[in-house]
Amino acid sequence: MKKYIYILVALVVAGFAASCESNLDIPQKRVIDFSTFYENANEENAKELIGGVYRLLYDQVYNPEPSVMLDALSYDCWAGGGSFMDNSHGLQHVQAYKLTSSNCDCLDKIYENCYKVIYYSNCIIEKIPETSDAEINRIKAEAKFLRALATFRLIRFFGTPPFVDHIPSADEYYPSNGDTKTMIDWCISNMKEAAEVVPALSGIGTQKQYG
């Protein structure tokens, strides 16, 4: 008799646990659901997303790469330091024209950062649905321009980088090198398309009106 009572109690407990399982499915606090955020993005959300892309671009300009790296390649800049022990970011190797992917981390950072700009721009372009909202369309056009700018920068530094013009699927994570002419033509085309949507500035300093 006790055996049947134990079985009955176990069944009741299991049934109770199953009925409460849905209560445990609680969205994680302060975490954005990637699968729905782009799809349901309003103007404010779209501004946040493009702001993240601009932040990546800002990092490219104000970190040691690539502007300092280009200066180090010129005759107008000396990487400094008493020896290669002072070789911050590999810039002395750059100065000596001995830079490689193994001794110059600024190359790695340029490469990584450009593909981050491309990826998040692609997310804005592809995942935010088509709309008649002029503000969202302007932001998508900005993403198209920034994606083309990052691609051109990759061409400038690496010649034939992998060509990523969409969000890659799982079997596209290791693309082959792209064709330089094809990519440059694509960059120009995308920049022209973006220019048709993004309003022209009326003068110096007026960019603030766009946020």
Side-chain angles (χ1 to χ4, degrees), residues 146-158:
L146 295 175
R147 178 182 66 174
L149 180 64
T151 300
F152 185 78
R153 179 163 285 171
L154 285 168
I155 296 167
R156 184 184 187 191
F157 280 98
F158 303 100

Side-chain angles (χ1 to χ4, degrees), residues 4-205:
Y4 294 113
I5 293 175
Y6 290 148
I7 293 174
L8 180 61
V9 171
L11 289 173
V12 170
V13 172
F16 179 76
S19 66
C20 296
E21 185 177 352
S22 61
N23 293 330
L24 300 176
D25 188 15
I26 302 172
Q28 190 174 351
K29 302 300 183 183
R30 300 188 65 81
V31 173
I32 295 173
D33 187 345
F34 181 83
S35 62
T36 60
F37 187 76
Y38 284 88
E39 182 179 344
N40 301 320
N42 55 28
E43 288 186 11
E44 193 62 32
N45 299 146
K47 288 180 181 178
E48 293 172 1
L49 292 169
I50 195 66
V53 180
Y54 276 113
R55 177 62 191 179
L56 289 169
L57 200 68
Y58 177 90
D59 286 344
Q60 281 191 7
V61 174
Y62 288 98
N63 276 340
E65 308 77 31
S67 56
V68 176
M69 177 182 165
L70 292 174
D71 284 341
L73 287 168
S74 74
Y75 290 108
D76 299 323
C77 176
W78 177 252
S83 69
F84 277 100
M85 296 297 290
D86 303 322
N87 189 26
S88 177
H89 297 283
L91 292 176
Q92 287 197 6
H93 287 300
V94 174
Q95 184 87 68
Y97 297 98
K98 295 180 179 179
L99 67 161
T100 69
S101 59
S102 61
N103 66 19
C104 182
D105 64 352
C106 51
L107 280 176
D108 298 336
K109 291 180 180 179
I110 293 169
Y111 192 86
E112 177 184 353
N113 194 278
C114 282
Y115 278 111
K116 283 182 179 179
V117 170
I118 291 170
Y119 174 74
Y120 288 111
S121 295
N122 278 332
C123 286
I124 292 172
I125 295 165
E126 296 182 25
K127 289 185 173 292
I128 296 181
E130 294 296 323
T131 178
S132 58
D133 188 305
E135 183 73 6
I136 291 179
N137 285 333
R138 178 182 67 81
I139 289 169
K140 293 181 75 171
E142 289 180 30
K144 183 176 287 189
F145 175 85
L146 295 175
R147 178 182 66 174
L149 180 64
T151 300
F152 185 78
R153 179 163 285 171
L154 285 168
I155 296 167
R156 184 184 187 191
F157 280 98
F158 303 100
T160 58
F163 185 24
V164 182
D165 62 348
H166 62 280
I167 300 173
S169 58
D171 59 349
E172 295 177 310
Y173 286 164
Y174 300 98
S176 58
N177 286 21
D179 175 72
T180 303
K181 184 181 185 308
T182 300
M183 288 189 290
I184 290 178
D185 289 344
W186 177 87
C187 289
I188 294 171
S189 175
N190 273 252
M191 289 180 175
K192 286 180 177 179
E193 290 174 12
E196 293 176 358
V197 180
V198 178
L201 298 176
S202 58
I204 296 175

